[in-house]
Amino acid sequence: MPEPEISSPKRDHLMATAWRLFYRDGFRSVGIDTILAEAGVAKMTLYNHFASKEELIVALLEKRDRELRASVVATVEAAGKSPSKRLLAVFDWLEGWFGSADFNGCVFIRALSEYPDATHAIHRTAWNHKVAVKHMLAQLCTAAEAKNPEGLAETLSLLIDGAIVAAHGTRETGSARSARATAASLLKLASA
Amino acid sequence: MPEPEISSPKRDHLMATAWRLFYRDGFRSVGIDTILAEAGVAKMTLYNHFASKEELIVALLEKRDRELRASVVATVEAAGKSPSKRLLAVFDWLEGWFGSADFNGCVFIRALSEYPDATHAIHRTAWNHKVAVKHMLAQLCTAAEAKNPEGLAETLSLLIDGAIVAAHGTRETGSARSARATAASLLKLASA
DNA sequence: AAGAATATAGACAGATCTGTCTATTTTGTG
DNA sequence: CACAAAATAGACAGATCTGTCTATATTCTT
């Protein structure tokens, strides 16, 4: 399903511009015309690549999902072999993200919020990402030999999403450190 | 500041209708005209009570903030005298909320998401609620004689917001129980 | 019952929205 | 060079958006 769609320069540029505006201002707030003007692309070019605004958004979420998880994986790999360090590296990644200049919350949480209906394609796509992240955490928890890896992964997911919401509200990175400290305690508890 | 505004039947009815539609479909998704039609109220009545759609939304968030916190307080009071039971009662309240028929995520997280700009009045109002809840948690943590009540309250806030996001994604109440179990562990740890 | 405050319907402005269509031009390929 | 594919500008439809205005009707208070 995450078949990387056929790529073209125009399509990529369009997606990059759309991403930037949507992430800054919100999906419903940004109109197609604004994206086209900003990207310097004709309307029919967009509608030749995407059937609708909704499909464009879904494509953007799927792309962001792939890139975000790849970025986390890279940080985990760079953290060395210690399973607990690898697990906690996820929270360091979070802290770096929160501190980045254009951080503006989690686009998936925001998509869940803007399209609150559970049956909506955008809502479902956004939630798929959260499930995928939780799966990744479960693997790290298993590697760290936690007693109940699935349960710990669930809890870590809660901490992460809570930290993201807090960072969006405060524009500070502190929530990542709080979450990390709690994660460390829980990991210790689950290994004992 | 949360001076309960002058109440009138029309105003209350308008707010009730607006709340229902906004909460179901989203702030940007629901137009003024839709609310007016549903409420059976004239447009000028709305604009006599509220300067703009934005002011209406802010008023709704402030009202919801008062009511939500009062509801949590009532649950805490009903939980008896044991400080730890009182603290954990917050998570029982959450579980009940997640299981309610019209649960559709947290309107404050959704407001943060729909108005991602930190300087926006709606964004700020929504975040104020999260700060107030955290303050409430800190009091409960202090009463429970936790070592670092502010720190524990921060962590519990993360768990709660994470659990809300998860409940919005899954439509299940399980995240409340996960959060509660983790909270119980952390409280024990912080009392030892 | 008289007067003041409130609510009404509905037109209106002016902007914006997504998506379609056409006719032309540019681009890339054999 | 010639042909096909892709992108262009821009008009267009039809709906929707917030907010204003007016002129009439209802409700509340005294």
Side-chain angles (χ1 to χ4, degrees), chain A residues 18-146:
Chain A
W19 165 260
R20 185 167 51 81
L21 297 180
F22 281 147
Y23 185 55
R24 195 187 60 190
D25 298 333
F27 297 113
R28 297 202 117 105
S29 169
V30 176
I32 289 295
D33 289 337
T34 306
I35 296 167
L36 296 173
E38 186 85 3
V41 156
K43 191 171 261 193
M44 278 314 294
T45 302
L46 189 156
Y47 281 103
N48 279 334
H49 284 290
F50 304 95
S52 62
K53 182 183 182 181
E54 179 179 318
E55 267 203 15
L56 167 62
I57 293 172
V58 167
L60 285 170
L61 292 179
E62 287 173 343
K63 179 166 182 280
R64 170 69 178 158
D65 168 58
R66 288 191 298 270
E67 293 174 353
L68 186 151
R69 284 192 288 135
S71 172
V72 173
V73 164
T75 300
V76 166
E77 291 305 323
K81 284 191 178 178
S82 155
S84 65
K85 278 184 185 163
R86 286 165 69 88
L87 181 53
L88 294 176
V90 173
F91 295 86
D92 298 328
W93 182 92
L94 265 194
E95 188 177 356
W97 179 35
F98 294 172
S100 63
D102 66 345
F103 173 76
N104 209 22
C106 169
V107 78
F108 303 101
I109 293 175
R110 285 174 49 189
L112 290 176
S113 295
E114 285 211 62
Y115 301 89
D117 176 8
T119 67
H120 196 289
I122 293 175
H123 188 98
R124 281 188 286 109
T125 303
W127 183 247
N128 286 345
H129 162 79
K130 294 295 181 189
V131 172
V133 168
K134 187 167 152 189
H135 186 67
M136 194 167 89
L137 290 169
Q139 289 181 308
L140 292 169
C141 289
T142 300
E145 289 174 339

Side-chain angles (χ1 to χ4, degrees), chain B residues 1 5 57-67 125:
Chain B
M1 332 353 207
E5 296 88 356
I57 293 172
V58 167
L60 286 170
L61 292 179
E62 287 171 344
K63 180 165 183 281
R64 170 69 178 158
D65 168 58
R66 289 191 297 271
E67 294 175 352
T125 303

